[in-house]
Amino acid sequence: MKYILVSGGVVSGIGKGVIASSTGLLLKTTGLKVTSIKIDPYMNIDAGTMRPQEHGEVYVLNDGGEVDLDLGNYERYLDVTLSRDHNITTGKIYKEVIEKERRGDYLGKTVQIVPHVTTGIQDWIERVAKLPVDDTNEEPDICIIELGGTVGDIESAPFVEAMRQFQFRVGHGNFALIHVSLVPDMHGEQKTKPTQATVRDLRGLGLMPDLVTCRVLVRKPLSIETKRKISMFCHVAEEQVIGIHDVSSVYHVPLLLQEQGIISFLQRKLDLQSIYLSKELTDKGSRLMARWKEMTDVIGKNHYLDVVSIVLVGKYTDMPDSYMSVVKALEHSAARCQRKLNLQWVAAEHLEPTHKIENPVQYYDGWKNVVAAQGILIPGGFGQRGTEGMLLAIKRAREYKVPFLGICLGFQMAVIEWARNVSGLDGATSTEFNAETPHPVIIYMPEVSKTHMGGTMRLGLRPTVFSSDSESWSKARR
């Protein structure tokens, strides 16, 4: 098993997930079997109870796991099916270590961060990395591990130390480190000091980057002079300095990495040529790269395509990452249909009559977008805020026959709108909003806890069982 660790420095949120996914994609195009693990250093057991405005989307896996949105990137880029164990959090590790201590597994030893927590992290990674994740149902060849947060953070220290030990546990020939750093562009001049500082911190913690990937937050690529300077002060060769500047779509990032020779470097560093690759998998990898280039060609030329305008009416529109999977699905659909997507964001509460008085500009702007939309989409959410605005948008879609898609809460609101305005059930609503409603058209699932929020919902891929008498009337069954 080969391991590639992707860490980050200077600031968080500079694209480690996209770079990790893109690296995995390129490796998969060579015929290798790739899996991914995301480490999140927060104390939560999972992402299920975190505010979307703070953390972005909570991605739900087939096994019902509520995980970081980067696992959605992994599944989309690598065409794999991950499990909740592929997302490691401090909460999960501490919970496992404490349970072992309570059982007496440590035989009376003093339980410490080193070695017990760090060993627990390494054991978890080795166990999960071997799980089959694709249609071959075989053990993967390579595991890409993304270390969330920023090197130097207090909360990530146990994971950094675990990775320092892990490189010796698996052997240097089976371990590579990609460190993602920020190169600010100050009035046209690219500054290297932040990257020098973060690599120095990383080396002080016992990890030496094999590749330094530099994020340049402008359209200008990393210059040759900047690359040479980073090479000189960060103790890496020039070929080990990779530049990732802003591009029109994140789907161009794999091609940027490929142009700069990242795969040939990793093949040498990890001796990937020694891994047996069947002709079936290499041919499949070649077809994947051909499809990827075809998709990026369509996205790159989308200014020549017909525009399709979709309005997303949601509760968390101030943080677009809250709906990342929905947005990616729309982007993929537009590319497949040879259309240019024009996605408009509308906060659901801006459509409510009370907002017309509080902020008439937002009210009329919101309705302008809804009225002009060729399609209306309402995604998931929790709580009553904005639901009346959703009902008004759904009514507009129904009465004017505008294509509509409701997901989770959005579909629940469509049921409520139909019950009130078509079936004549005045006051129909969800028991989540009003436990005493005379018409509870949406109810709690029996297993849902009303006191504990985390891990109690019915989630993931589940079979749907139709009753024997539903064949005559159920359109879904047909």
Side-chain angles (χ1 to χ4, degrees):
M1 173 70 74
K2 309 291 184 179
Y3 298 90
I4 298 173
L5 174 65
V6 180
S7 60
V10 185
V11 294
S12 60
I14 56 174
K16 293 190 301 297
V18 172
I19 290 168
S21 302
S22 299
T23 302
L25 171 77
L26 291 174
L27 291 167
K28 192 157 185 173
T29 62
T30 68
L32 293 163
K33 299 184 289 293
V34 183
T35 186
S36 288
I37 293 174
K38 173 68 188 294
I39 295 173
D40 284 304
Y42 45 68
M43 283 297 299
N44 304 60
I45 295 293
D46 58 35
T49 57
M50 300 176 77
R51 293 174 65 244
Q53 293 100 322
E54 180 178 323
H55 189 255
E57 173 186 72
V58 176
Y59 187 75
V60 180
L61 300 168
N62 277 5
D63 68 355
E66 298 171 282
V67 296
D68 184 83
L69 58 82
D70 280 316
L71 275 80
N73 274 330
Y74 304 155
E75 290 202 337
R76 286 186 287 269
Y77 276 68
L78 304 179
D79 191 21
V80 294
T81 302
L82 303 176
S83 71
R84 68 182 74 220
D85 285 348
H86 287 86
N87 191 192
I88 304 175
T89 69
T90 300
K92 286 180 180 178
I93 295 295
Y94 277 36
K95 183 172 182 280
E96 183 178 77
V97 170
I98 290 168
E99 286 175 350
K100 285 183 176 180
E101 185 272 332
R102 293 288 85 186
R103 289 198 305 265
D105 292 2
Y106 297 119
L107 303 176
K109 290 182 180 293
T110 302
V111 180
Q112 298 173 294
I113 301 298
V114 180
H116 300 102
V117 170
T118 53
T119 300
I121 293 166
Q122 296 172 72
D123 291 344
W124 190 301
I125 289 172
E126 279 200 313
R127 172 177 60 83
V128 174
K130 295 176 182 178
L131 299 176
V133 293
D134 59 20
D135 53 6
T136 66
N137 204 32
E138 297 174 356
E139 182 179 313
D141 302 310
I142 298 180
C143 178
I144 297 184
I145 307 161
E146 182 191 346
L147 176 57
T150 306
V151 168
D153 291 346
I154 292 173
E155 57 263 31
S156 64
F159 294 100
V160 174
E161 172 58 21
M163 291 296 97
R164 185 194 68 78
Q165 298 173 19
F166 193 66
Q167 63 186 329
F168 299 106
R169 177 168 169 166
V170 301
H172 283 291
N174 299 317
F175 182 89
L177 171 56
I178 300 173
H179 190 60
V180 183
S181 180
L182 176 68
V183 175
D185 190 289
M186 306 284 288
H187 312 294
E189 181 184 359
Q190 294 175 348
K191 297 292 188 179
T192 65
K193 278 292 189 289
T195 299
Q196 293 178 43
T198 186
V199 171
R200 184 168 61 245
D201 290 345
L202 190 65
R203 292 174 67 190
L205 294 167
L207 288 168
M208 180 71 190
D210 297 293
L211 290 166
V212 179
T213 303
C214 303
R215 276 289 287 121
V216 186
L217 302 182
V218 293
R219 294 278 180 151
K220 179 182 175 183
L222 191 72
S223 68
I224 298 297
E225 293 77 14
T226 304
K227 185 175 285 194
R228 286 174 181 161
K229 193 170 181 181
I230 291 171
S231 168
M232 181 186 301
F233 288 101
C234 295
H235 198 63
V236 291
E238 283 186 39
E239 68 163 340
Q240 293 171 263
V241 182
I242 306 291
I244 301 293
H245 58 277
D246 282 355
V247 287
S248 58
S249 166
V250 293
Y251 303 116
H252 289 93
V253 173
L255 305 183
L256 267 181
L257 293 173
Q258 185 185 47
E259 288 170 6
Q260 297 175 74
I262 189 173
I263 294 305
S264 59
F265 175 83
L266 291 173
Q267 285 173 334
R268 294 193 304 273
K269 172 69 175 70
L270 298 172
D271 190 23
L272 299 180
Q273 309 288 8
S274 65
I275 299 175
Y276 170 74
L277 300 175
S278 67
K279 186 176 186 303
E280 180 185 357
L281 286 177
T282 53
D283 289 347
K284 187 177 180 180
S286 299
R287 292 194 298 272
L288 173 61
M289 177 52 76
R291 291 200 311 273
W292 196 272
K293 287 182 176 178
E294 182 182 340
M295 179 182 69
T296 55
D297 285 344
V298 171
I299 293 172
K301 298 172 184 175
N302 67 5
H303 50 281
Y304 297 114
L305 303 176
D306 292 337
V307 176
V308 57
S309 294
I310 304 295
V311 65
L312 187 152
V313 180
K315 292 170 66 75
Y316 317 120
T317 53
D318 53 336
M319 174 64 162
D321 276 358
S322 301
Y323 304 115
M324 180 176 283
S325 292
V326 173
V327 174
K328 296 304 177 188
L330 289 170
E331 289 176 354
H332 299 169
S333 301
R336 184 65 179 268
C337 298
Q338 302 277 306
R339 294 291 185 273
K340 179 180 179 179
L341 175 66
N342 175 31
L343 181 61
Q344 298 292 331
W345 299 79
V346 174
E349 61 265 37
H350 290 180
L351 303 177
E352 297 175 356
T354 54
H355 205 73
K356 183 177 180 180
I357 300 169
E358 296 168 3
N359 194 323
V361 173
Q362 290 180 341
Y363 175 83
Y364 286 111
D365 282 348
W367 275 108
K368 176 185 174 184
N369 288 325
V370 170
V371 169
Q374 295 170 276
I376 297 173
L377 190 152
I378 301 181
F382 293 92
Q384 195 165 3
R385 178 180 62 85
T387 53
E388 292 303 317
M390 293 179 184
L391 289 172
L392 292 169
I394 293 166
K395 183 180 179 184
R396 164 80 192 183
R398 178 177 58 79
E399 291 180 344
Y400 288 84
K401 302 190 185 316
V402 179
F404 168 79
L405 175 61
I407 301 172
C408 194
L409 176 64
F411 191 72
Q412 294 177 24
M413 300 313 300
V415 171
I416 293 171
E417 193 278 332
W418 184 275
R420 289 183 184 180
N421 299 324
V422 178
S423 300
L425 302 176
D426 291 339
T429 188
S430 167
T431 53
E432 179 187 355
F433 309 144
N434 180 6
E436 306 301 325
T437 176
H439 302 295
V441 292
I442 304 294
I443 62 172
Y444 280 103
M445 288 288 191
E447 67 268 39
V448 171
S449 170
K450 297 178 183 178
T451 57
H452 288 69
M453 296 180 66
T456 64
M457 292 193 299
R458 183 182 295 180
L459 298 171
L461 191 65
R462 291 170 176 265
T464 299
V465 180
F466 291 92
S467 61
S468 57
D469 62 345
S470 62
E471 190 171 355
S472 60
W473 58 265
S474 173
K475 292 183 179 180
R477 183 172 179 176
R478 295 193 208 121

